């Protein structure tokens, strides 16, 4: 071999090593920038039109930015296969109140190089990475074109607080689409990030899911919290993943899989988790039966999650249960259960920090009641949009610095 050929080979090898070293230094890795908890859609939350043979455009608002992304789709709760004929992702022009997109950004998604994929029951699939520059709190439109799609046992997130759009046939024309405020089979969006970028994932119920916030405005307490993190130099590399499910319980009953059964997937199954927030329990404590032993059982579940998280190097923040006097959940025993759980959260020393929503949302006249200024539909349980804002603004960001 000529010396010039050897020099070329050596130069290429050196450049490859330098590029590899730069990637290692940059610490590029995948981080979930948006994700949602899933369950079987109840009959009244099924799509208003059959999805088989049709198209759906679903809007999500991300957290941290990136230049490359990938999308996860789930048939976790399905009993039949879901056939994807094609999929695209684009910058959405609104946060949900229209299906309009920036057409120049519309990018085809593939799965192992193919435009189509069949998702088997219980399966989670990840698209191939695509180049699409996204900014912080970016509105994205995920468009899916279906072949075969089951009529029931649909993997979904009922409480999207964001409008999705269903159009007839394999189409990109959503001008006359049917609107529905639910998400179906979309599971997560991940961006390629660098350095110490990571995710904060929240286990919650309807309060975290956003009941009382405004549809298509993205003003859940978790959204307010995310915007504050992104505006703070020391926390601007942290995404917020909302794993709230309306009506959810930690122990048993309620809607969707229990917190106890879903936390391995919904918390530890996300990419690059650095923090976990545990903010559940009101549906357990307010349900039928003695709340004191239920509080003790919730504590045992929390201890288990904390231990597993710490083994993985993940910090855990405890969220106190908000007051609910005035709601039919309330009685003296249920209040005692809330006190027991909240006292333990505040004083046990196992958490890496505490978010005291119970204190920040309580009435100044009666700490067992929510501040009337924050009431949604006077149910004395869920916060309105102002309440969500107060919750998001009251969190001490130094817990995450």
């Amino acid at each position: 071999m000529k010396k010039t050929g050897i020099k070329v080979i050596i130069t290429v090898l050196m450049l490859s090593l330098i590029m590899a070293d730069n990637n290692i230094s940059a610490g590029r890795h995948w981080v979930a920038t948006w994700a949602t908890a899933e369950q079987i859609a109840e009959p009244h939350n099924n799509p208003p039109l059959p999805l088989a043979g049709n198209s759906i455009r679903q809007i999500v608002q991300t957290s941290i930015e990136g230049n490359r992304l990938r999308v996860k789709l789930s048939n976790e709760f399905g009993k039949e296969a879901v056939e994807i004929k094609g999929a695209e992702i684009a910058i959405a022009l609104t946060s949900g109140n229209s299906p309009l997109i920036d057409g120049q950004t519309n990018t085809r998604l593939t799965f192992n190089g193919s435009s189509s994929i069949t998702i088997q029951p219980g399966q989670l699939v990840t698209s191939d990475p695509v180049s699409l520059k996204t900014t912080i709190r970016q509105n994205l439109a995920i468009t899916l074109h279906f072949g075969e799609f089951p009529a029931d046992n649909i993997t979904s997130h009922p409480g999207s607080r964001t409008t999705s759009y269903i159009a007839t046939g394999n189409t990109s024309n959503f001008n006359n689409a049917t609107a529905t405020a639910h998400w179906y089979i979309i599971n997560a969006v991940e961006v390629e990030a660098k350095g110490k970028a990571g995710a904060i994932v929240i286990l919650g119920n309807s309060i975290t899911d956003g009941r009382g916030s405004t549809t298509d405005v993205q003003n859940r307490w978790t959204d307010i919290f995310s915007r504050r993190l992104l505006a703070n130099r020391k926390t601007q590399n942290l995404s917020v993943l909302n794993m709230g499910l309306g009506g959810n319980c930690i122990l048993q009953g309620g809607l969707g899989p229990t917190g106890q059964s879903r936390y391995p997937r919904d918390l530890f199954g996300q990419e690059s988790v650095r923090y976990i927030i545990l903010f559940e329990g009101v549906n357990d404590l307010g349900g039928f039966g003695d709340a004191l032993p239920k509080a003790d059982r919730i504590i045992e579940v929390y201890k288990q999650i904390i231990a597993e998280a710490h083994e993985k190097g993940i910090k855990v923040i405890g969220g106190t249960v908000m007051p609910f006097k005035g709601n039919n959940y309330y009685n003296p025993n249920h209040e005692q259960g809330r006190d027991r759980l909240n006292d333990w959260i505040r004083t046990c020393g196992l958490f890496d920090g505490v978010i005291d929503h119970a204190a920040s949302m309580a009435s100044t006249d009666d700490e067992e009641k929510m501040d009337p200024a924050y009431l949604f539909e006077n149910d004395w349980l869920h916060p309105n949009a102002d309440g969500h804002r107060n919750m998001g603004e009251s969190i001490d960001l130094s817990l995450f610095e």
Side-chain angles (χ1 to χ4, degrees):
M1 182 180 290
K2 294 182 179 180
K3 289 184 178 180
T4 53
I6 294 173
K7 287 181 179 179
V8 169
I9 292 172
I10 291 172
T11 301
V12 170
L13 288 172
M14 289 179 66
L15 287 172
S16 298
L17 289 171
I18 291 169
M19 291 173 67
D21 183 63
N22 285 340
N23 283 335
I24 292 171
S25 299
R28 293 194 174 277
H29 57 288
W30 290 104
V31 180
T33 184
W34 172 88
T36 191
E38 293 176 318
Q39 64 178 81
I40 295 175
E42 302 99 339
H44 64 281
N45 288 326
N46 276 336
L49 294 178
L51 291 179
N54 291 330
S55 303
I56 186 170
R57 178 166 289 166
Q58 303 178 88
I59 313 296
V60 302
Q61 190 173 92
T62 63
S63 298
I64 60 174
E65 63 187 2
N67 293 324
R68 282 177 18 112
L69 59 78
R70 61 189 189 185
V71 176
K72 289 185 173 180
L73 306 175
S74 173
N75 192 16
E76 173 75 21
F77 300 97
K79 295 184 179 180
E80 300 175 53
V82 169
E83 184 183 13
I84 305 292
K85 292 285 194 178
E88 301 91 42
I89 190 165
I91 304 299
L93 296 186
T94 74
S95 57
N97 58 23
S98 92
L100 297 177
I101 62 171
D102 178 351
Q104 292 185 336
T105 68
N106 201 30
T107 304
R108 184 171 66 104
L109 294 175
T110 59
F111 304 86
N112 292 323
S114 175
S115 297
S116 62
I117 188 171
T118 298
I119 311 173
Q120 298 299 330
Q123 187 179 20
L124 176 73
V125 300
T126 305
S127 75
D128 301 323
V130 296
S131 296
L132 180 63
K133 183 175 178 56
T134 58
T135 61
I136 60 172
R137 303 302 301 184
Q138 182 73 69
N139 296 312
L140 293 176
I142 303 167
T143 304
L144 303 175
H145 310 287
F146 295 111
E148 296 296 323
F149 197 98
D152 52 19
N153 295 306
I154 300 172
T155 299
S156 74
H157 183 88
S160 62
R161 272 86 202 178
T162 308
T163 306
S164 300
Y165 300 89
I166 303 172
T168 302
N170 185 337
T171 181
S172 296
N173 184 348
F174 286 84
N175 290 337
N176 297 309
T178 298
T180 181
H182 309 298
W183 288 317
Y184 301 103
I185 85 167
I186 55 174
N187 177 270
V189 177
E190 298 168 352
V191 293
E192 192 177 53
K194 61 182 179 179
K196 294 183 178 180
I200 301 169
V201 57
I202 305 162
L203 188 74
N205 48 43
S206 58
I207 296 172
T208 295
D209 197 25
R211 182 164 173 79
S213 65
T214 312
T215 297
D216 294 330
V217 175
Q218 315 297 333
N219 60 349
R220 312 165 189 84
W221 72 263
T222 55
D223 299 312
I224 308 302
F225 173 43
S226 172
R227 293 186 183 100
R228 291 182 61 226
L229 289 167
L230 294 168
N232 179 36
R233 182 178 59 83
K234 293 183 178 181
T235 57
Q236 62 185 358
N237 59 357
L238 292 173
S239 67
V240 174
L241 310 180
N242 186 330
M243 291 294 154
L245 279 177
N248 197 234
C249 288
I250 296 174
L251 302 174
Q252 63 185 30
L255 299 178
T258 64
Q260 186 173 18
S261 67
R262 70 186 177 96
Y263 82 79
R265 177 187 64 247
D266 287 353
L267 299 183
F268 298 126
Q270 310 308 317
E271 287 289 342
S272 301
V273 175
R274 289 177 55 193
Y275 297 90
I276 285 169
I277 298 173
L278 300 178
F279 179 50
E280 276 224 72
V282 68
N283 293 323
D284 298 87
L285 299 172
F288 178 80
D290 190 341
L292 292 170
K294 285 194 276 189
D296 292 336
R297 289 172 59 202
I298 292 169
I299 288 168
E300 293 306 310
V301 174
Y302 277 8
K303 285 180 179 178
Q304 182 177 346
I305 296 174
I306 293 167
E308 292 182 30
H310 286 169
E311 286 180 2
K312 300 174 186 294
I314 299 170
K315 293 184 177 181
V316 185
I317 309 299
T320 54
V321 177
M322 287 163 36
F324 51 85
K325 187 177 180 180
N327 186 271
N328 59 13
Y329 273 178
Y330 180 85
N331 66 41
N333 171 264
H334 294 174
E335 180 64 20
Q336 289 169 356
R338 186 177 80 95
D339 285 342
R340 177 175 292 185
L341 178 58
N342 283 350
D343 287 345
W344 178 81
I345 290 171
R346 293 179 179 122
T347 63
C348 70
L350 298 178
F351 289 101
D352 299 285
V354 174
I355 297 173
D356 202 347
H357 285 317
S360 66
M361 294 294 287
S363 169
T364 55
D365 298 328
D366 186 348
E367 64 180 13
E368 295 183 2
K369 299 181 72 172
M370 187 189 298
D371 188 325
Y374 301 141
L375 289 181
F376 174 67
E377 296 182 345
N378 292 320
D379 73 355
W380 296 97
L381 179 65
H382 297 97
N384 58 20
D386 287 338
H388 278 277
R389 177 184 49 76
N390 181 68
M391 292 175 68
E393 291 180 351
S394 67
I395 299 170
D396 182 0
L397 297 188
S398 69
L399 296 172
F400 307 93
E401 291 179 350

